[in-house]
Amino acid sequence: MSLDSLRSERRSARRAELRQARSRLPLLTQPFRQPRNPLPPLEILTPEQVEELHLASLHILENTGVQFQDAETLSLWEQAGAQVDHKAQHVRLDRGLVLELVAKAPRSFTWRARNPARNVLIGEDAVTFGPCGGMVYVSDLERGRRAGTLADYEDFVRVSHVAPQLHLAGWGQVEPNELPVSVRHLHRLRASIRLSDKVLAEAAHGREITRDCVEMARLVFGDIETGGPVIGEVINASSPLRFDARMLGGLITYARAGQWTCLTPFILAGAMSPISMAAALAQQNAEALAGIALTQLVRPGAPVLYGGFTTNTDMRSGLPAFGTPEGAWALLAGAQMARRYGLPFRGSGSLTTANLPDAQAMLETQWTLWPAVLAHSNLIFHACGWLEGGLTASVEKFVLDLESLGQFQHFLQRFEVNDDTLALDAIHEVGAGGHHFGTAHTQARFATEFYATTLHDRLGYETWAAAGSWDAPKRAHQVWREMLAAYEPPPLDSAIQEALDDYVARRERELQGKNLYE
């Protein structure tokens, strides 16, 4: 046997040993639970600055106004007493009306899953992590970057289902590009229901698509209007100061059915708002308040979140800049404004402009995820897998980010200080010098005391090199495969499955050749 063959055999054997040691991935041994944030929220604004932004936002709504590109929305505002210009689709909103409506929104709500053990609380100090969503492409080390398919989407749902760090499994992690745009929501939502029993979210793109989502949810849950919402989605403003017809149709349909919405202006300071972060945040607040007020005009008490997605523009390229100090400011300030109105807050977690799951990607992600958690975000979307400014869902980055979420869940539990954990007897037993490896205190706790990493390699250099010199993305790719292998579908009543199949088949026939995005 040649020296090269011998080395290759040794590397293969060492990799097999490492895989065997990881046969029960620590990522999968964490319990499914919703973390609570016991820390005081990090606040970047003084109380006086919060009020300045609040008053500036009301000034914008009263004097500049907002464009609502939907006839029903304009009629609702006119009936409520707002100043409406139907021809220009423009509305000026009195501050008293806006604040009266916003005050009707609930401070928190329970988002119900088809498995009640996976219900989540939105609000208070609860934290909910959801995967990336809305990506056109998927990438992995084996096949590179390519257009996503329904099979790719289903694999993302499977991994999201088995990952206890995620509370949501299906959220459009990648587009099924081989399907007509008009029916993609049907196949995504059916797959989400079939492959996971976690909470559901699906597109709020106009009235017809959203109505399909509501009807499919009814097939699963029956009564969806009592006991807490079962489905919802993000409603983006078309900044600056405009809501398009598609988003408004989705907002009205979900809110009218008692389902949750998340009003999220997407503002790039310097492009969609003035370049100063104070102006960007005042505009974000105005747009969010306008949309939140509309949900309460449609249905008082409809569950709604205040969403923040403001960051800066890279002024050298004109492209979005994610994972920046300015984006961190916006997350912290946005959460403060949400608390000002008694509303749950949505942040984002793994945002990056990097094109690979490299050092830039992870640095920018941490500059987004840490502020989102410290701000007391209640719902953190895009918490894993985001790459390339949101164009691509990366298999390897998905797993790398899951490791971060696992560490956050461990971190937020904090540690106990009591007679047992202080271990004064063990300290006295060992005394000066010596070590604690063999003490009863260490032996009783060594397997559970510390966070058990799945991905971080702590081998010495020679051992690491002998095992093949794998970097973090290679290890993440292997873990992805192991997570897929560990997946088992949750039970689903056959009558529900049949009803969903019939609904999808009927709607596909009805929507054939129809453009729902006109």
Side-chain angles (χ1 to χ4, degrees), residues 338-355:
R339 287 191 291 275
R340 165 68 175 75
Y341 307 110
L343 295 167
F345 180 70
R346 171 260 166 127
S348 293
S350 66
L351 307 188
T352 176
T353 52
N355 296 313

Side-chain angles (χ1 to χ4, degrees), residues 423-432 435-436 438-441:
L424 296 180
D425 289 343
I427 292 172
H428 182 72
E429 175 189 342
V430 172
H435 62 77
H436 284 260
T439 65
H441 188 267

